[in-house]
Amino acid sequence: MSGKLNLDEKFSLFADHWRPKVVASLNGQDVKLIKVQGEFPWHHHDDADEFFLVWKGTFRVEFRDHIHRLNPGDCIVVPRGIEHRTCADQEAEILCFEPGGVCNTGNLADETFTAHGGVKI
Amino acid sequence: MSGKLNLDEKFSLFADHWRPKVVASLNGQDVKLIKVQGEFPWHHHDDADEFFLVWKGTFRVEFRDHIHRLNPGDCIVVPRGIEHRTCADQEAEILCFEPGGVCNTGNLADETFTAHGGVKI
């Protein structure tokens, strides 16, 4: 019927960067965990706002005209249509809320970074 | 355009229990913070699944036939239509992700606990 999950346990199950893992789905939305390190390409999502919560580490959300630096407990909404990229100098762990089926690179097809769909863990 | 927020800072802005505060809205969904202590009444939501993440403290999500005990970093989805209640022996801080406009007591109108709509902070 329903079960609890633990974020640290779920993060321990994978090591790859920039590959979102779906840990829960509800109301057409996904709850995803992402390990990040390095620099993600610039992109936007035409039809999806994204919510990020930093669970561990330090994370940057960069827009063309300003940068947000986020630490654990910091959150941000990236509105649909707004070009952005995400970066982390060292590995960070991120929780993301967004509609089910969103592609991580949005309008961009990138050989390295695009991860279609969501892998459930 | 967008701004970051910090969960600890937002939780420090209010003290009342069982009164959800909306800190972000996206894709028709709300991200709410709730301080809980005591026992919430049994209820269900006809059209809304609910996601809870424990930020601080210990929290119980009780169903009629089983109980989940959650600590910081633990999450749970309460599916729509399923009767449940939430409890905390001592104050706990909870993040909730659910559709915008959901009433906290669902099908139940309760003089003490029902908080219509969401107060934004």
Side-chain angles (χ1 to χ4, degrees), chain A residues 38-54:
Chain A
E39 194 174 275
F40 202 72
W42 289 101
H43 68 286
H44 71 271
H45 302 274
D46 282 328
D47 302 311
D49 312 313
E50 296 184 293
F51 174 91
F52 295 113
L53 161 64
V54 179

Side-chain angles (χ1 to χ4, degrees), chain B residues 16-34:
Chain B
D16 47 348
H17 295 142
W18 306 114
R19 290 287 186 264
K21 310 297 189 244
V22 178
V23 294
S25 297
L26 68 161
N27 306 305
Q29 316 292 308
D30 282 342
V31 179
K32 297 176 176 176
L33 305 186
I34 316 167

Side-chain angles (χ1 to χ4, degrees), chain A residues 1-9 23-31 47-51 53-55 63-66 68-80 82-83 95 97-99, chain B residues 1-9 23-29 31 47-51 53-55 63-66 68-80 82-83 95-99:
Chain A
M1 185 167 72
S2 66
K4 71 173 182 178
L5 62 97
N6 178 271
L7 294 185
D8 288 327
E9 285 179 21
V23 295
S25 298
L26 69 161
N27 307 305
Q29 313 293 307
D30 282 344
V31 179
D47 302 311
D49 312 313
E50 296 184 293
F51 174 91
L53 161 64
V54 179
W55 185 247
F63 300 96
R64 287 293 188 185
D65 59 354
H66 63 296
H68 287 287
R69 291 175 176 80
L70 290 84
N71 294 303
D74 287 338
C75 309
I76 194 168
V77 174
V78 177
R80 63 190 63 196
I82 302 296
E83 200 179 26
L95 179 147
F97 295 143
E98 62 183 9
Chain B
M1 185 167 72
S2 66
K4 70 173 184 179
L5 62 97
N6 178 271
L7 294 184
D8 288 326
E9 284 178 23
V23 294
S25 297
L26 68 161
N27 306 305
Q29 316 292 308
V31 179
D47 302 311
D49 312 314
E50 295 184 295
F51 175 87
L53 161 64
V54 180
W55 185 246
F63 299 97
R64 287 293 189 186
D65 60 354
H66 63 296
H68 287 286
R69 290 176 177 81
L70 289 85
N71 294 303
D74 286 339
C75 309
I76 194 168
V77 173
V78 177
R80 61 190 63 195
I82 302 297
E83 200 179 27
L95 181 149
C96 173
F97 181 52
E98 65 182 8

